[in-house]
Amino acid sequence: MARTGFSDSKPLLDLHKKADERRAPLRTWANTCGPIDRWQPAEVDESRMAPVKMEPERRWERRLSMQTSEGIIMGFNEDSRTHSADGCVEDPVLLYPHGLQGLHSLRALVPSLLRHEVEIALEKLGLICDRTYAWDVFLDMMRTQAWNTLPDTDLPRHFTDATRAVLVDWLIQVHEMMHFQEETLYLAIHLLNCALHQIKVTTANLQLLGMVCLFLAAKKEECLLPEVSGLCYLMDHTYTKHQLLRMERKVLCGLKFDLSYCPPLHFLLLLASIARCSAKVVWMARYLLELSLLEGQCVVFLPVQLAGAALCLSRQVLQEPPTPEGEAAWCLASSIHVGSETTLLRIMHILANAAAKAHARETCATFIKFSSPETMHVSRHPGLKNISALLGVCT
């Protein structure tokens, strides 16, 4: 086998790193947009305070569906069900709570409630600077995610899912050592998946392709970039600076300079914020979501589907005591259309299998990463090791 440098690279994951040396995992877009203008008007426009005649919620909902044509809100029509393209009736997901009092009256308020919660969540997560455009940003996220999915899971010749997993695991270690933002990792893996389908690359240059994708993602997401010579050092000088820059040009031309991507992490944090999930549920979902990067069969799913499945499986594994407020918030988050129940269960099975085997696999960078106190030791949760119980919960 051609030398790729996987076994010769320097140790990349510092397991004894101090807690205060870790950076915040979520990068806010406000950092790239300069300081937020917190100017407040001295006077209130009286014309805006005039009473406005509100139209019925059902009419508002129908207009929203016609405008988006994607079915952003689901499960709140007359029969509380959605119809797929082939005419089959699909039950609403993500799992409505049972026995919730006043559910029908709550459904009538969902369009306005969901819009309000989305605006608050996006602002709290730092994904927007002005709440005025929050709903438009959310609708754009839902629309454009389909453009970034791959049609199939086929890999180029001589490549296997095991080879891809080794490369992704190594990139996770490099990402962790570089203290990059989480969005950088997801964008890098997305660029890698697209590049494998768009350009021809040999097995000997696979590691170089992965490093170039991480470098391009850092250029888009990070404020400080590593030196090209430093990247060559991490590859044990298997490749030269000239080779790295030439591969970068090849990848950019193959992708037609399209680096746009809305990562599933944003959908996960948005859904978790709306559903009022606890910190442990969010960390568990983030762990499951990062495990999906190692699974080649996950490249065909939408980001919101991966996020919804990871969050749902996280709740099922942890089994936290339900509260009326939490169940109502989860019902509201469930109104976002994330796909059919069959699709979600399929993803949950993939994630359950990956989580059950994570501690024994050679590609265990994600398992180690999420076993630290900062991540609440979620990767070592005993419920993840029993694959039969996990799959039983998901059926």
Side-chain angles (χ1 to χ4, degrees):
M1 180 178 177
R3 183 177 183 230
T4 60
F6 287 122
S7 60
D8 300 324
S9 300
K10 302 295 185 296
L12 299 175
L13 190 59
D14 185 3
L15 305 182
H16 305 286
K17 183 165 51 180
K18 296 181 180 178
D20 54 0
E21 293 179 358
R22 288 178 173 266
R23 295 178 61 184
L26 175 62
R27 173 177 183 259
T28 61
W29 289 1
N31 291 345
T32 62
C33 302
I36 300 177
D37 185 7
R38 302 187 181 278
W39 172 82
Q40 298 293 335
E43 298 180 359
V44 178
D45 188 356
E46 295 297 335
S47 61
R48 296 185 179 180
M49 302 301 293
V52 180
K53 183 178 179 181
M54 301 297 294
E55 58 183 342
E57 293 294 343
R58 286 189 177 276
R59 182 180 173 188
W60 185 92
E61 178 185 347
R62 286 197 296 270
R63 190 178 77 239
L64 174 65
S65 300
M66 289 188 294
Q67 287 177 349
T68 61
S69 73
E70 260 89 19
I72 301 300
I73 298 179
M74 68 170 297
F76 290 89
N77 298 319
E78 280 75 5
D79 59 353
S80 73
R81 293 178 295 178
T82 56
H83 297 266
S84 59
D86 57 0
C88 299
V89 178
E90 298 178 351
D91 293 329
V93 286
L94 306 161
L95 304 181
Y96 287 124
H98 299 287
L100 182 63
Q101 300 297 325
L103 180 59
H104 294 285
S105 60
L106 178 61
R107 285 176 177 175
L109 299 175
V110 158
S112 56
L113 283 176
L114 180 61
R115 178 168 185 162
H116 178 70
E117 289 296 327
V118 166
E119 291 174 351
I120 294 177
L122 288 176
E123 188 176 42
K124 183 170 66 174
L125 295 172
L127 300 181
I128 58 170
C129 297
D130 189 349
R131 192 184 295 186
T132 306
Y133 306 102
W135 185 251
D136 294 324
V137 170
F138 171 69
L139 294 182
D140 187 68
M141 290 169 59
M142 297 293 289
R143 290 192 197 101
T144 58
Q145 60 174 331
W147 303 348
N148 298 315
T149 55
L150 299 178
D152 52 62
T153 60
D154 296 338
L155 288 172
R157 196 177 177 184
H158 306 304
F159 292 160
T160 63
D161 287 335
T163 305
R164 179 189 173 278
V166 170
L167 176 59
V168 172
D169 184 78
W170 181 76
L171 290 176
I172 291 174
Q173 297 179 59
V174 176
H175 170 272
E176 182 76 0
M177 191 203 67
M178 291 286 189
H179 300 282
F180 285 157
Q181 308 295 337
E182 294 298 310
E183 289 87 347
T184 305
L185 176 62
Y186 284 91
L187 177 58
I189 304 305
H190 169 70
L191 296 178
L192 174 64
N193 295 332
C194 294
L196 288 175
H197 283 74
Q198 295 294 335
I199 65 176
K200 294 182 179 180
V201 60
T202 62
T203 306
N205 290 330
L206 187 58
Q207 187 183 24
L208 178 61
L209 175 64
M211 180 60 82
V212 165
C213 291
L214 183 62
F215 189 40
L216 288 173
K219 285 185 175 182
K220 184 175 183 293
E221 297 289 345
E222 303 292 334
C223 298
L224 299 176
L225 295 176
E227 294 289 342
V228 176
S229 58
L231 300 180
C232 294
Y233 170 77
L234 291 176
M235 295 184 289
D236 199 24
H237 295 288
T238 307
Y239 313 96
T240 64
K241 294 171 57 176
H242 177 70
Q243 288 177 307
L244 191 147
L245 296 176
R246 186 172 57 186
M247 177 64 76
E248 180 186 34
R249 183 167 59 251
K250 184 178 180 180
V251 171
L252 286 173
C253 293
L255 300 180
K256 298 179 180 179
F257 289 82
D258 183 12
L259 304 182
S260 60
Y261 183 60
C262 184
L265 179 64
H266 287 172
F267 288 103
L268 171 63
L269 297 176
L270 177 64
L271 291 172
S273 179
I274 296 174
R276 306 289 196 274
C277 294
S278 65
K280 192 164 188 177
V281 169
V282 175
W283 278 117
M284 177 65 75
R286 292 180 67 164
Y287 169 59
L288 296 171
L289 188 62
E290 190 163 311
L291 285 178
S292 69
L293 298 177
L294 298 166
E295 304 298 320
Q297 47 191 329
C298 287
V299 300
V300 297
F301 299 114
L302 296 175
V304 71
Q305 293 174 340
L306 294 171
L311 189 61
C312 192
L313 182 58
S314 173
R315 284 169 49 93
Q316 297 286 4
V317 170
L318 295 178
Q319 289 290 309
E320 294 184 344
T323 62
E325 295 80 5
E327 292 301 301
W330 180 253
C331 178
L332 186 61
S334 301
S335 65
I336 299 177
H337 185 31
V338 298
S340 65
E341 186 176 0
T342 303
T343 301
L344 287 186
L345 289 178
R346 181 183 171 191
I347 300 174
M348 291 167 69
H349 275 257
I350 295 173
L351 298 182
N353 276 287
K357 301 174 182 178
H359 66 285
R361 295 173 62 173
E362 294 182 359
T363 53
C364 58
T366 298
F367 175 82
I368 297 173
K369 176 180 176 181
F370 283 87
S371 63
S372 62
E374 296 82 14
T375 59
M376 306 181 74
H377 307 284
V378 291
S379 64
R380 299 186 181 275
H381 192 278
L384 293 174
K385 297 180 180 180
N386 192 346
I387 185 172
S388 59
L390 274 180
L391 296 179
V393 165
C394 298
T395 55

